[in-house]
Amino acid sequence: MEENQIYHGFKLKKSSYIKEIASNAYEFEHVKSGAKLLFVANNDDNKVFSITFRTTPTDDTGVAHIVEHSTLCGSRKFPTKEPFVELVKGSLNTFLNAMTFPDKTMYPVASRNDKDFRNLMDVYLDAVFYPNMRTTPEILMQEGWHYEIENADEPLKYSGVVYNEMKGALSSPDGLLERKILNNLYPDTTYQYESGGDPVAIPDLTQKMFIDFHSRYYHPSNSYIYLYGDMDMMDTLEFLDKEYLSAFDKIEVDSHVDLQKPFEKRKVLNDVYPIAPNESKEHKTFLSLNYSIATSLEKEKMIAFSILEHALLKSEAAPLRNALIKAGLGSDVISSFDNGVLQPMFSIIVNGSEADKADEFEKIVNDVLTDIVNKGIDKELLQASINVMEFKLREADFGQFPKGLIYNINLMNSWLYDGEPTMYLYYEDLLTTVKQWANEGKFEELIKTYLLDNAHSLMLILSPDETIIPESERALAQKLAKIKANMSDEQLQEVIEATKRLKKRQRSVDTPEALAKIPLLEISDINKNCDKLIIDEDEIAGTTALKHDVATNGIVYLRMFFDVSTIAYEDINYLFLLEELIGRTATKNYSYEALANAINLYTGGMRFSVATYDKEGDVNSYMPKMVFKAKVLVDKMPKLIELLQEIIFNGSFAAKERVKDLILQCRSDFEMSILRSGHQLVLDELMAYFTPKERYDNYGDLRFYSFIKNFLNDFDNEFDKMQVAFAKIIPMVFNKHNLITSITVDGENYAKVADCVASFIKSLPDEEYPAQTIPFNVDKKNEGFITSSQVQYVAKGANFMRLGYKYTGVMKVLETIMRYEYLWTHIRVLGGAYGAFVKFRRDGNMYFGSYRDPNLKETLNVYDNTGAFLRSFAVSDREMTKYIIGTISGMDMPLTPSLKGELAASSYIVGMTDEMRQKQRDEVLATTQEDIRNLADLVDACMEENAICVLGSSSKVNEAQDVFKTVKTLL
């Protein structure tokens, strides 16, 4: 192709080869509509499409977020209520979502199937350009907000998916902190507003404002279309032009993002966040210093500050972090460098502090940074942090997220602001530059310019306040009562009628004709065979080794599974404490800082964790392991083994101050995660009611939280107990008896790696210790946990194997049906929760769960009525095919080399064979409606067990006291 030539309406402006990702990049502009398009062509079969709009809010109503939800609620060609859900049910997608950022809205999809990929593009493009939200007021009511009232005697309420989502999001102190930093660092720009929506302001959004926002921003002239992977370029361009873009004429869209005028001096702001009534306020203040850093178009500075954040604040050797911790200002230091906005933000945050320590915090930050500028950054520390960045860039392992998606998100950091679209896809020259900067004192200059001498900064002090929730609930009730009192009878009746119309629409069923318009694959498009596990059993130094021959680009993924079934019941908490401390304290030959530098210099990371497995089909089995995970270049394997031996054989836990600091950080991490992942906490707690495997894991969850709180309350005494316990358990943990080693690397490098591993295994003791058991009885605790959350996380479940039922692949299809039909309709659509889900596991444990849910008892009632739904389950053959395809999609997610090795190793440990996996796939593909109906008795039996765990607000949990055996404030 030639530059400046037109192909199917697209003018090719520039083409280039990007060696770093082995891709050809083509930058186009659609001549008629003004749409910008970047095509990144390569041989990756996991194709990605996205269309992004620059959406700059002018208020806190969350209109950008609500429009994002609402465009996917039906369109011109696809008039079902929720094409998004219909797609999820029946697509082989590897990613399907939409995302609102402070200044952009992205609609990305990914699939490995060509036909499916085209279908996804078609539905998403029709959704953004021709959404039914423009003519159907109930869509704003459902996805944004509405008055909820069904008869005149009821109090007026607000509800809506985004309204409840944001009540949950802004209940989290770290979420609130992040929002307030952005709003106050750039107070004269679009960033002063909450793009997700402030629950206080969301009800100000009118239907006219809603439609106007879409009209203003959702035009091709304001779009950024991205295509990635192995596809027919000309055919794709022709489709985009013919089906969509040629219908539009180029216009001017004012969506620019202004630069904030720099502050003349640092701004200081004191603010508050909510905690639960009766929750302690002590040591719960956040102190933060926040700096505006250049612009995201200055790519060298962006990578430099990512490296600086690691060196100063994230590494165990980080001098600024360690100085703040040693000063006793708080329980933990956290940081962020956010370059996803035009003017990136660098934040230094102390958690678990007090407001009166703000001056000391500021002084320590300035003193440490001044000292670094004057004396220079430790060269080994800086090189270690550069190595971390380099390893991350070269590995390009994003877990189950498609590579193309992550590249898309990253490149918007330049493209959205009219910079070079492909700027962030190149990194070789950037790495060369920052390595030069490390030798030229440039990093010190950046610290001085942007941290020490930068007046465009913010000191934000965020303190806990237990009055916010009851006062806001009272104020909201008074506001709604006043609104209702001021309504005429006719106005009130209209609101009641509007609620009825909404409920009627939500309960209505799409016609077969409308459903048939959603494109669907055939069962014949699906591979009937599951992918085989990549595994060969070997022996290294007399122990079991698992070989996973996978192309890894010269990286070794090493996992060692140490059997810890020998650890006594009373020492299990110390095992989880060892997980937190090992590799993070001094050794005989390294300070903890020097050890951190060595790990970062020579490896891609290494860590220890406790994981528990159970034997396939045995509900009473549990196999606890201490798992060592590491990734390293093949030629650095000897150094990895040297460091591992140093940590295990020469590690010391004698430094009281370091141990206390790490335990404080651990407590802080747990507390921060509670409101971020409340659903996970209640599910982990619920599952521990039913099986010893989950009970064992629970020693690392809430039980461990109680243990470390008690440890800190009586630190000196507990520290001495720890020394005794560690001396006892470490030789039992790091022992070659029952050791399993998993090595993921290409075959030609396996022998070299195995030799290094053999030298380590030979150094391990081989003493046999007797296996221990933990006391276990099924114990339905039915706990209600109160936090500052303004929404609930509601879980209910049981173990169906204990009730006499067996696992079948049909259950995976049932999960799809439940999640995107019954639970979606009753908990998300009708109930206003952000999400709901169900899981039937091979160990017999099953659970229902809700996420950011305004309800509690109503949600439990939905779970309890599942059996009745299943008994009457009847859909067309086409719909049944859809559910099966959607289920297979979740089973066939592409795996990175690391994940391929991890899946094979865990399958080996639990006894999951290829034959078992194929049997499950066969059962999924053969699932009938009758099979689904036949699971009704199983679900009823599980619900009748009445095992419940909930985390939520004081008012909702206390209202439902009768469903709990215990209710307590969690923090």
Side-chain angles (χ1 to χ4, degrees), residues 525-537:
D525 292 315
I526 296 175
N527 185 351
K528 301 297 187 294
N529 300 313
C530 67
D531 292 335
K532 302 294 185 185
L533 296 169
I534 302 172
I535 186 168
D536 289 304
E537 192 169 351

mmCIF file of all heavy atoms in Angstrom, residues 525-537:
data_model
loop_
_atom_site.group_PDB
_atom_site.id
_atom_site.type_symbol
_atom_site.label_atom_id
_atom_site.label_comp_id
_atom_site.label_asym_id
_atom_site.label_seq_id
_atom_site.Cartn_x
_atom_site.Cartn_y
_atom_site.Cartn_z
ATOM 1 N N ASP A 525 -19.014 -24.363 14.369
ATOM 2 C CA ASP A 525 -17.885 -23.438 14.402
ATOM 3 C C ASP A 525 -16.964 -23.704 15.589
ATOM 4 O O ASP A 525 -15.891 -23.095 15.699
ATOM 5 C CB ASP A 525 -18.385 -21.986 14.492
ATOM 6 C CG ASP A 525 -19.102 -21.544 13.228
ATOM 7 O OD1 ASP A 525 -18.578 -21.829 12.133
ATOM 8 O OD2 ASP A 525 -20.173 -20.925 13.338
ATOM 9 N N ILE A 526 -17.388 -24.574 16.493
ATOM 10 C CA ILE A 526 -16.641 -24.817 17.730
ATOM 11 C C ILE A 526 -15.782 -26.061 17.585
ATOM 12 O O ILE A 526 -16.237 -27.093 17.078
ATOM 13 C CB ILE A 526 -17.615 -24.996 18.918
ATOM 14 C CG1 ILE A 526 -18.399 -23.710 19.164
ATOM 15 C CG2 ILE A 526 -16.875 -25.409 20.181
ATOM 16 C CD1 ILE A 526 -19.458 -23.845 20.235
ATOM 17 N N ASN A 527 -14.574 -25.981 18.072
ATOM 18 C CA ASN A 527 -13.697 -27.147 18.127
ATOM 19 C C ASN A 527 -14.267 -28.133 19.147
ATOM 20 O O ASN A 527 -14.486 -27.781 20.304
ATOM 21 C CB ASN A 527 -12.287 -26.703 18.541
ATOM 22 C CG ASN A 527 -11.286 -27.835 18.495
ATOM 23 O OD1 ASN A 527 -11.647 -28.992 18.314
ATOM 24 N ND2 ASN A 527 -10.016 -27.494 18.671
ATOM 25 N N LYS A 528 -14.525 -29.358 18.730
ATOM 26 C CA LYS A 528 -15.132 -30.344 19.624
ATOM 27 C C LYS A 528 -14.154 -30.842 20.692
ATOM 28 O O LYS A 528 -14.567 -31.387 21.725
ATOM 29 C CB LYS A 528 -15.635 -31.551 18.815
ATOM 30 C CG LYS A 528 -16.677 -31.211 17.744
ATOM 31 C CD LYS A 528 -17.953 -30.653 18.361
ATOM 32 C CE LYS A 528 -19.061 -30.473 17.336
ATOM 33 N NZ LYS A 528 -18.770 -29.445 16.325
ATOM 34 N N ASN A 529 -12.854 -30.672 20.441
ATOM 35 C CA ASN A 529 -11.843 -31.212 21.348
ATOM 36 C C ASN A 529 -11.220 -30.113 22.180
ATOM 37 O O ASN A 529 -10.942 -29.015 21.689
ATOM 38 C CB ASN A 529 -10.745 -31.931 20.553
ATOM 39 C CG ASN A 529 -11.300 -33.085 19.744
ATOM 40 O OD1 ASN A 529 -12.074 -33.889 20.253
ATOM 41 N ND2 ASN A 529 -10.906 -33.159 18.485
ATOM 42 N N CYS A 530 -11.003 -30.401 23.438
ATOM 43 C CA CYS A 530 -10.333 -29.412 24.297
ATOM 44 C C CYS A 530 -8.832 -29.433 24.006
ATOM 45 O O CYS A 530 -8.284 -30.441 23.543
ATOM 46 C CB CYS A 530 -10.595 -29.714 25.771
ATOM 47 S SG CYS A 530 -9.873 -31.231 26.393
ATOM 48 N N ASP A 531 -8.183 -28.320 24.256
ATOM 49 C CA ASP A 531 -6.735 -28.267 24.098
ATOM 50 C C ASP A 531 -6.082 -29.204 25.108
ATOM 51 O O ASP A 531 -6.493 -29.271 26.265
ATOM 52 C CB ASP A 531 -6.226 -26.838 24.327
ATOM 53 C CG ASP A 531 -6.683 -25.886 23.238
ATOM 54 O OD1 ASP A 531 -6.951 -26.360 22.124
ATOM 55 O OD2 ASP A 531 -6.772 -24.667 23.511
ATOM 56 N N LYS A 532 -5.068 -29.921 24.664
ATOM 57 C CA LYS A 532 -4.375 -30.856 25.556
ATOM 58 C C LYS A 532 -3.454 -30.096 26.518
ATOM 59 O O LYS A 532 -2.878 -29.063 26.172
ATOM 60 C CB LYS A 532 -3.541 -31.848 24.745
ATOM 61 C CG LYS A 532 -4.347 -32.669 23.733
ATOM 62 C CD LYS A 532 -5.325 -33.603 24.406
ATOM 63 C CE LYS A 532 -6.037 -34.493 23.400
ATOM 64 N NZ LYS A 532 -7.083 -35.328 24.045
ATOM 65 N N LEU A 533 -3.352 -30.645 27.708
ATOM 66 C CA LEU A 533 -2.402 -30.084 28.665
ATOM 67 C C LEU A 533 -0.987 -30.316 28.153
ATOM 68 O O LEU A 533 -0.672 -31.398 27.649
ATOM 69 C CB LEU A 533 -2.567 -30.748 30.033
ATOM 70 C CG LEU A 533 -3.913 -30.531 30.722
ATOM 71 C CD1 LEU A 533 -4.046 -31.457 31.932
ATOM 72 C CD2 LEU A 533 -4.057 -29.080 31.158
ATOM 73 N N ILE A 534 -0.146 -29.306 28.275
ATOM 74 C CA ILE A 534 1.233 -29.420 27.814
ATOM 75 C C ILE A 534 2.079 -29.852 29.006
ATOM 76 O O ILE A 534 2.465 -29.031 29.858
ATOM 77 C CB ILE A 534 1.730 -28.082 27.236
ATOM 78 C CG1 ILE A 534 0.815 -27.646 26.094
ATOM 79 C CG2 ILE A 534 3.179 -28.198 26.769
ATOM 80 C CD1 ILE A 534 1.083 -26.254 25.575
ATOM 81 N N ILE A 535 2.343 -31.168 29.093
ATOM 82 C CA ILE A 535 2.999 -31.677 30.291
ATOM 83 C C ILE A 535 3.657 -33.026 30.020
ATOM 84 O O ILE A 535 3.090 -33.890 29.349
ATOM 85 C CB ILE A 535 1.976 -31.799 31.447
ATOM 86 C CG1 ILE A 535 2.651 -32.178 32.763
ATOM 87 C CG2 ILE A 535 0.859 -32.763 31.103
ATOM 88 C CD1 ILE A 535 1.736 -32.023 33.971
ATOM 89 N N ASP A 536 4.870 -33.166 30.500
ATOM 90 C CA ASP A 536 5.581 -34.442 30.522
ATOM 91 C C ASP A 536 6.151 -34.612 31.920
ATOM 92 O O ASP A 536 6.746 -33.678 32.480
ATOM 93 C CB ASP A 536 6.719 -34.471 29.491
ATOM 94 C CG ASP A 536 6.203 -34.548 28.067
ATOM 95 O OD1 ASP A 536 5.436 -35.489 27.781
ATOM 96 O OD2 ASP A 536 6.549 -33.664 27.264
ATOM 97 N N GLU A 537 5.981 -35.811 32.459
ATOM 98 C CA GLU A 537 6.502 -36.066 33.806
ATOM 99 C C GLU A 537 7.970 -36.472 33.709
ATOM 100 O O GLU A 537 8.361 -37.267 32.863
ATOM 101 C CB GLU A 537 5.680 -37.155 34.492
ATOM 102 C CG GLU A 537 5.966 -37.258 35.982
ATOM 103 C CD GLU A 537 4.969 -38.157 36.714
ATOM 104 O OE1 GLU A 537 3.963 -38.559 36.110
ATOM 105 O OE2 GLU A 537 5.224 -38.448 37.900
#
